[in-house]
Amino acid sequence: MNDPFKEADAISKVLIADEAAEGRLDAWLTAQLGEEVSRSRVKALIKNGAVLRNGEPMTDPQRKVRPGERFDITMPEPEDPTPQGEDIPLDVLYEDDDLIVIAKPAGLVVHPGAGNWTGTLVNALIHHCGDSLSGIGGVRRPGIVHRLDKDTTGVMVVAKNDIAHRHLSLQFADHGRTMPLERAYRAIVWGRPRQLTGTIDAPLGRSTGDRTKRAVQKPDREDSDEAITHYTVLERFHELPDATALASLVDCRLETGRTHQIRVHMAHIGHPLLGDTVYGAGFRTKANLLPDAQKDIVGRFSRQALHAYLLQFEHPRTGEILHFEAPLPDDMLELAEALRS
């Protein structure tokens, strides 16, 4: 095989497909680049128009490679791997020398990652807390002991030193089974669960074909993790005599803490969260049952209707039980009021 690198510098690379070249574009480019760039990074480069085939932009990672084709790849300057402090306002509920408790708004990513290297909660915390977070829990996740999805609102605690980080991490790993940790969420879901109080015990693992999604899996599957959610229906919206309803306000308590757990579990029993385009996109047309004014409010709700309203834990230094609650954010209040009308 000929050396595919005909030209190379710090900014761009040129690859020439030899006579044995075959397969998907993203897979072939990843193989040629070796350990230099991950496949997910290659996909992003293709979709962002950073790969040219014979001078024309390529945006389909699945497009097949053919011998003799020339690919020009523009490599963006590397990001600074160390998060920098940014003056992002924080809603602080409590703070001392060991920890800080905040109410996270919708749209705020917790820690830096692909596509979100700035503007995260970590950037805000570094600016707010200064050097006290340095080295705790890793460079890109200083002080983080748990997380909420980007568009989930609610209470979060962050450690400021190693002692607090270890103690809080143990409590979250225990899930409140033997320690005083307690977490509770409010969700607005489509329909009305048949049982007004119940437990969803369904293992979760990665969804087939999409590594960012989660799905209920068989318990004996290698990548499945135990996942248990307890729920109680608090209010039913537009309930009918046959015990069905358009939507419901639900209290959810976690016995485990898996990625997207509440979202996947509620969708699994047929009641996905309003606004959840990943696990409940097919339910959006139910808003057509509402009058126009209410239908518009529901249709404009652009995130999963999930709020972490309660967090309780033991203070890592004093042993005091700290209890925090955050009221429903304005957008969920407006959504609930529209459903009541």
Side-chain angles (χ1 to χ4, degrees):
M1 175 178 175
N2 297 328
D3 183 356
F5 289 91
K6 301 302 181 184
E7 305 168 22
D9 56 35
I11 302 301
S12 64
K13 293 185 180 297
V14 176
L15 299 172
I16 306 295
D18 67 8
E19 63 279 1
E22 62 179 0
R24 289 172 46 136
L25 176 60
D26 58 348
W28 184 81
L29 288 178
T30 303
Q32 304 309 307
L33 295 171
E35 297 181 355
E36 184 176 352
V37 185
S38 69
R39 184 165 177 174
S40 61
R41 180 63 171 147
V42 168
K43 273 189 177 181
L45 289 171
I46 295 170
K47 291 182 177 180
N48 290 333
V51 176
L52 304 181
R53 178 186 64 88
N54 298 336
E56 296 294 328
M58 298 292 296
T59 58
D60 181 9
Q62 300 185 48
R63 192 262 185 199
K64 302 298 183 182
V65 174
R66 298 182 179 88
E69 291 180 323
R70 168 189 170 123
F71 295 96
D72 294 75
I73 308 168
T74 301
M75 307 289 289
E77 291 291 339
E79 300 275 358
D80 185 348
T82 304
Q84 304 298 307
E86 297 177 45
D87 189 6
I88 300 170
L90 292 174
D91 184 358
V92 179
L93 305 180
Y94 174 87
E95 184 175 8
D96 61 23
D97 291 340
D98 297 299
L99 53 87
I100 180 172
V101 180
I102 62 108
K104 188 186 90 65
L108 183 63
V109 175
V110 171
H111 52 75
N116 294 287
W117 296 112
T118 61
T120 70
L121 175 60
V122 164
N123 297 111
L125 289 166
I126 290 172
H127 179 271
H128 180 88
C129 301
D131 294 336
S132 63
L133 293 181
S134 179
I136 304 167
V139 173
R140 291 183 182 170
R141 302 184 57 175
I144 302 298
V145 293
H146 69 124
R147 62 182 289 273
L148 297 174
D149 291 338
K150 173 183 176 181
D151 290 324
T152 297
T153 56
V155 187
M156 283 190 65
V157 60
V158 177
K160 284 187 173 184
N161 54 56
D162 287 325
I163 293 175
H165 191 270
R166 286 195 298 270
H167 196 289
L168 290 170
S169 295
L170 286 173
Q171 292 186 61
F172 277 92
D174 180 70
H175 302 299
R177 287 167 172 161
T178 63
M179 295 181 176
L181 180 80
E182 184 177 353
R183 288 180 291 170
Y185 296 72
R186 292 278 160 83
I188 300 177
V189 305
W190 288 113
R192 196 208 90 162
R194 181 171 298 178
Q195 295 181 326
L196 297 182
T197 299
T199 296
I200 306 169
D201 185 349
L204 299 182
R206 284 185 175 176
S207 175
T208 303
D210 189 339
R211 63 183 299 274
T212 65
K213 289 180 63 176
R214 296 297 182 267
V216 170
Q217 304 289 1
K218 294 180 179 180
D220 57 355
R221 200 171 119 158
E222 185 177 351
D223 69 337
S224 69
D225 295 308
E226 180 186 34
I228 301 173
T229 303
H230 306 284
Y231 73 87
T232 300
V233 176
L234 303 176
E235 184 177 359
R236 286 95 77 187
F237 304 111
H238 292 264
E239 189 170 32
L240 300 175
D242 63 358
T244 61
L246 178 64
S248 302
L249 176 66
V250 180
D251 182 283
C252 295
R253 309 267 170 155
L254 297 179
E255 191 173 319
T256 57
R258 308 302 177 194
T259 300
H260 299 176
Q261 179 173 318
I262 292 173
R263 297 166 63 188
V264 179
H265 271 176
M266 296 310 297
H268 178 62
I269 64 171
H271 303 286
L273 277 59
L274 270 72
D276 193 337
T277 59
V278 176
Y279 301 106
F283 283 69
R284 290 186 67 88
T285 56
K286 285 184 174 290
N288 294 330
L289 299 173
L290 293 165
D292 287 343
Q294 286 74 32
K295 180 171 65 176
D296 181 62
I297 292 173
V298 174
R300 284 189 287 105
F301 195 84
S302 59
R303 68 178 183 91
Q304 64 267 8
L306 185 61
H307 175 66
Y309 79 92
L310 182 153
L311 177 62
Q312 175 181 290
F313 56 89
E314 179 182 306
H315 192 285
R317 190 178 301 274
T318 68
E320 178 185 1
I321 304 302
L322 300 181
H323 182 100
F324 300 95
E325 293 192 25
L328 282 179
D330 290 343
D331 63 345
M332 282 187 67
L333 288 173
E334 181 186 36
L335 180 64
E337 189 56 40
L339 291 167
R340 291 187 188 104
S341 301

